[in-house]
Amino acid sequence: MRLGVLDIGSNTGHLLVVDAHGGAAPLPASSYKQPLRLAEHLDNDGAVGPAGVDALVEFTAQAVRVAEERGCAETLAFATSAVRESVNAEAVLAAVQERTGVQLEVLSGADEARLTFLAVRRWFGWSAGRLAVFDIGGGSLEIAGGADEAPDAAWSLPLGAARLARTHFGAAPDADALHALRRDLRADIARNAGSLLRGGRPDRAAATSKTFRSLARICGAAPAADGPLVPRALRLDDLRERMDELVRTAPADLAELPGVSPSRAHQIVPGALVAEACMDVFDLPELEICPWALREGVILERLDQMPHLTVG
């Protein structure tokens, strides 16, 4: 069957259309996405402003048309931290449903981490052993770990790259401010680190989504054009070698780096600081980059609920 997954993230709205059946990897058929930057549309009270709501409604309506044109039998629609944490979340969801007919499911932070973990587990398989997974989104950081398909520990922190760009990088921070931010990031991440490590150190550590992919590319990983099966990793030593340069570089110039899109260039430095903190806190020399993330986790869970699906 053909499934659509409509992901309303803190940075981007993304419709992924896949051909899927039980026991097989979802095969991407088409993709439609637009930058929404909802995390940066939050006002001082923590509400998504009218411009953000209008952008969300317009994108959702167009995504519905694309899903219909591509022949999707079902579209799974969900929103993550920017909508989840907005003080007017109910009004935002109501506006989307009233104006597009789409009822967005708001995923909890723990569910984001759990579903991302499921996708990474399926990608690497059981040979990965005890697995740790990190995902830096626009509004939040998800961490999960465990030896099975369901993680032993899964949690979310408000440490997304767009959020930190808005709260700490309105102007270039000085050395003292950067030191304080690094200290605070480590303290926040370390607070629940024991829940992941209690079962033992991970045999494999992986990272997903755009921020980690961009950082890995900056540090020398293969380009996306080489395909998803090429091994990629973000190494802590490589990231540290580039960190001072990244901090000193203007966002317009960061956009010229490989793997960095202009709309996310201002998020690269805060994302790099979070990535560095994760590897420091969990004593990880590198993170393998997994091409599957939350959207694939949502698809896989849906397929698991439909065991009757077969080929033909």
Side-chain angles (χ1 to χ4, degrees):
M1 72 183 297
R2 179 161 281 191
L3 288 172
V5 179
L6 179 57
D7 174 2
I8 304 301
S10 299
N11 276 314
T12 305
H14 190 168
L15 172 71
L16 177 65
V17 177
V18 300
D19 292 319
H21 64 82
L27 179 66
S30 68
S31 176
Y32 169 68
K33 57 185 175 181
Q34 292 288 338
L36 297 177
R37 296 171 70 165
L38 292 179
E40 297 172 39
H41 276 295
L42 297 176
D43 61 24
N44 292 333
D45 296 322
V48 179
V53 174
D54 288 343
L56 173 55
V57 167
E58 182 179 348
F59 170 79
T60 302
Q62 181 59 28
V64 169
R65 290 190 286 270
V66 172
E68 291 174 349
E69 290 167 0
R70 299 295 186 270
C72 291
E74 181 180 355
T75 297
L76 312 171
F78 63 89
T80 57
S81 66
V83 173
R84 178 174 69 235
E85 297 171 12
S86 64
V87 298
N88 62 335
E90 290 187 5
V92 173
L93 296 173
V96 172
Q97 185 166 12
E98 179 181 348
R99 294 162 63 180
T100 70
V102 173
Q103 184 172 359
L104 291 172
E105 177 185 1
V106 179
L107 294 180
S108 69
D111 277 340
E112 276 194 69
R114 176 183 62 81
L115 290 165
T116 301
F117 182 89
L118 172 63
V120 178
R121 168 61 75 192
R122 294 279 177 91
W123 179 267
F124 286 120
W126 294 112
S127 64
R130 186 166 185 81
L131 181 64
V133 175
F134 302 86
D135 181 352
I136 302 171
S140 59
L141 163 69
E142 275 69 51
I143 302 173
D148 300 320
E149 286 209 329
D152 299 334
W155 72 99
S156 178
L157 294 165
L159 301 178
R163 183 195 298 269
L164 293 176
R166 179 170 62 90
T167 57
H168 290 79
F169 289 83
D174 60 24
D176 288 341
L178 278 174
H179 177 78
L181 178 56
R182 277 189 160 110
R183 179 195 63 216
D184 292 345
L185 289 173
R186 282 157 178 73
D188 288 342
I189 293 167
R191 189 168 295 118
N192 290 315
S195 63
L196 187 149
L197 297 173
R198 192 164 291 116
R201 286 190 55 78
D203 300 302
R204 201 162 193 168
T208 72
S209 299
K210 178 67 173 176
T211 294
F212 275 116
R213 291 198 305 270
S214 296
L215 292 170
R217 182 73 184 100
I218 289 170
C219 292
D226 287 359
L229 299 182
V230 174
R232 296 173 175 86
L234 175 63
R235 295 175 180 83
L236 181 56
D237 287 346
D238 294 339
L239 182 60
R240 282 182 170 146
E241 284 183 9
R242 300 298 301 270
M243 187 67 79
D244 287 344
E245 175 192 350
L246 294 176
V247 169
R248 293 194 307 267
T249 303
D253 295 324
L254 288 172
E256 300 300 319
L257 294 174
V260 179
S261 58
S263 65
R264 291 182 184 240
H266 64 299
Q267 300 178 24
I268 286 297
V269 172
L273 293 171
V274 174
E276 180 190 40
C278 288
M279 288 189 275
D280 272 342
V281 168
F282 290 95
D283 191 23
L284 300 168
E286 72 172 29
L287 294 170
E288 295 182 66
I289 304 301
C290 179
W292 281 4
L294 177 59
R295 284 182 292 276
E296 287 77 12
V298 170
I299 294 166
L300 291 166
E301 183 170 74
R302 182 70 181 108
L303 291 176
D304 287 348
Q305 296 166 351
M306 304 170 71
H308 59 282
L309 288 179
T310 56
V311 180

